[in-house]
Amino acid sequence: MPGNSTITVHADREIHPSRAVAPPIYQTATFWAEDGETFAQVAVDPRGKDFYTRFGNPNHAQVAAVVAELEGTEAAMVTASGMAALTTAVLALVSAGDHVIGQKSTYGGTGSVLLNLLPRLGVSTTLVDQTDPAAYAKALTPRTRLILVESPSNPLLQITDLRAVADLARAHDVLTMADNTFATPLTQRPADFGIDLVWHSATKYLNGHSDVSAGVLAGPAKILDRIWDVGLLTGATLGPIDAWLLLRGMRTLPLRMPRHNANGLALAEALHDHPAVARVHYPGLATHPQHKLAASQMSGFGGVLGIEFTGGFEMADVFLGRLRYSRRSASLGGVESLAVHPASMWRGMLSEEQIAESVPPGLVRLAAGTEDTADLVADALAAADAALAEAATT
């Protein structure tokens, strides 16, 4: 099997081949057919590429080919965002009266789907402590149809035992979906541990340049075909230009991820013992309570870390304001470093009570970019020093 760098450059070569070195952008809403028989066939082909762009587009198919090979799955599909990937999949796989299990530590949008959207549709949900594999078994009911996992989790960087969850789910005929956004397929492939479906906010590491909003799903073709059917109705379609930009970004993923991994670990190690810091959440640290599990599932630990400050929100806010290279912004996974206060950002997705149950008020999520490691470390330490000094004067 070719290596990841070769896959990202060549896995889509046979999709609409041309003599152009860079793939063309298929900026068209629709495609014509040679005859009625061909038209009738492409109109029903799941995840097609030659009928109507809401049904599929060559640029979509090129992205899907690369993602599927990277994740080690049979097939893949693209959506307009990571949330579109999640919601379209869930709407396709569960119905009123069903039950879904999720995690207490999870991205705010995923939490809102579990806590706010699904109950309105007659789907019951249970959120469990992902660090306890037995909690999933306790949460199972005869109506459980889907388990959603996220590892490492956003923003506490907790780890899910993927194989344990997959084995449990398969024994009870329950589907599993894993959010692999933080890890990327270069450092973790959930399908290798038995997870059925993988999804990403491709806006993040897969694209890597903060200029696209996109999502991807990877897994068995039969399951993706069910999701694609619902996607036709929800219209969660990625534009051809965005798909082209996503593919271009993925070409350099194997070059970018080692730097993200190195910068994340260096920042975690540098801030771990700082007097302003109560705790650093990063699975690459030997002190992380799930470090051994993370190391058994991951070949690198990503560029995102959670920094919990001793002075709560006020100290965290000073830290964010003093950073020079890490800009205060949502998102992550781009070449530039970004930092954010999750409890503030998630107010548009979760209630104050829901946020308080899942995110410490003094937590900063720092997403290391690809800048020089020494510069990011010096910048973070200086900002932490400033936060500590200001706290001492108030």
Side-chain angles (χ1 to χ4, degrees), residues 343-362:
S344 297
M345 179 173 62
W346 290 357
R347 293 175 66 196
M349 298 179 283
L350 297 170
S351 69
E352 296 291 346
E353 293 76 16
Q354 290 168 342
I355 293 172
E357 292 175 359
S358 59
V359 182

Side-chain angles (χ1 to χ4, degrees), residues 176-199:
T176 51
M177 278 183 62
D179 184 342
N180 204 32
T181 300
F182 270 28
T184 82
L186 268 65
T187 61
Q188 175 177 270
R189 300 207 312 180
D192 290 349
F193 300 94
I195 296 294
D196 296 304
L197 287 165
V198 181
W199 93 93

Side-chain angles (χ1 to χ4, degrees), residues 44-354:
V44 296
D45 283 342
R47 296 174 289 107
K49 57 183 182 296
D50 291 310
F51 174 64
Y52 187 66
T53 286
R54 179 162 60 88
F55 287 59
N57 179 289
N59 296 122
H60 296 167
Q62 289 166 327
V63 170
V66 174
V67 170
E69 192 153 352
L70 286 176
E71 286 287 3
T73 60
E74 181 183 6
M77 61 178 282
V78 298
T79 62
S81 67
M83 286 304 301
L86 171 62
T87 54
T88 304
V90 171
L91 290 174
L93 300 176
V94 301
S95 302
D98 289 343
H99 175 247
V100 177
I101 299 173
Q103 300 178 174
K104 291 181 179 178
S105 178
T106 193
Y107 170 59
T110 304
S112 188
V113 168
L114 290 164
L115 294 170
N116 302 324
L117 176 62
L118 290 181
R120 289 172 48 203
L121 304 179
V123 178
S124 61
T125 62
T126 303
L127 273 60
V128 302
D129 176 1
Q130 75 186 94
T131 65
D132 178 14
Y136 292 92
K138 294 176 183 176
L140 278 173
T141 78
R143 298 297 300 171
T144 304
R145 297 290 178 266
L146 181 65
I147 299 177
L148 300 177
V149 299
E150 180 182 312
S151 185
S153 70
N154 182 2
L156 294 179
L157 285 299
Q158 293 182 344
I159 306 298
T160 304
D161 189 329
L162 298 176
R163 190 177 299 282
V165 172
D167 288 348
L168 171 72
R170 194 148 294 169
H172 291 83
D173 197 26
V174 174
L175 287 174
T176 51
M177 278 183 62
D179 184 342
N180 204 32
T181 300
F182 270 28
T184 82
L186 268 65
T187 61
Q188 175 177 270
R189 300 207 312 180
D192 290 349
F193 300 94
I195 296 294
D196 296 304
L197 287 165
V198 181
W199 93 93
H200 291 258
S201 171
T203 310
K204 314 302 193 295
Y205 286 114
L206 295 188
N207 169 253
H209 294 82
S210 300
D211 56 7
V212 165
S213 175
V216 296
L217 284 153
K222 285 186 177 181
I223 300 178
L224 290 179
D225 289 350
R226 292 169 58 189
I227 299 170
W228 176 80
D229 282 340
V230 174
L232 292 183
L233 303 178
T234 61
T237 307
L238 185 65
I241 291 177
D242 287 335
W244 185 88
L245 285 170
L246 173 55
L247 180 67
R248 185 177 70 166
M250 288 195 301
R251 304 294 199 205
T252 62
L253 179 64
L255 304 178
R256 292 182 279 108
M257 281 310 299
R259 177 60 70 89
H260 286 297
N261 290 337
N263 283 349
L265 179 60
L267 284 165
E269 290 176 339
L271 291 167
H272 181 259
D273 293 322
H274 194 282
V277 175
R279 183 179 180 186
V280 172
H281 301 262
Y282 187 76
L285 291 175
T287 54
H288 189 285
Q290 295 176 289
H291 174 69
K292 289 184 178 180
L293 175 60
S296 72
Q297 297 182 166
M298 306 173 71
S299 59
F301 303 102
V304 181
L305 57 152
I307 311 161
E308 205 168 336
F309 286 89
T310 58
F313 168 78
E314 290 77 11
M315 187 177 283
D317 192 54
V318 174
F319 174 80
L320 285 166
R322 295 301 183 93
L323 289 170
R324 179 182 177 188
Y325 297 121
S326 302
R327 295 181 177 179
R328 192 192 304 246
S329 176
S331 199
L332 56 101
V335 295
E336 64 289 306
S337 294
L338 301 176
V340 72
H341 182 244
S344 297
M345 179 173 62
W346 290 357
R347 293 175 66 196
M349 298 179 283
L350 297 170
S351 69
E352 296 291 346
E353 293 76 16
Q354 290 168 342

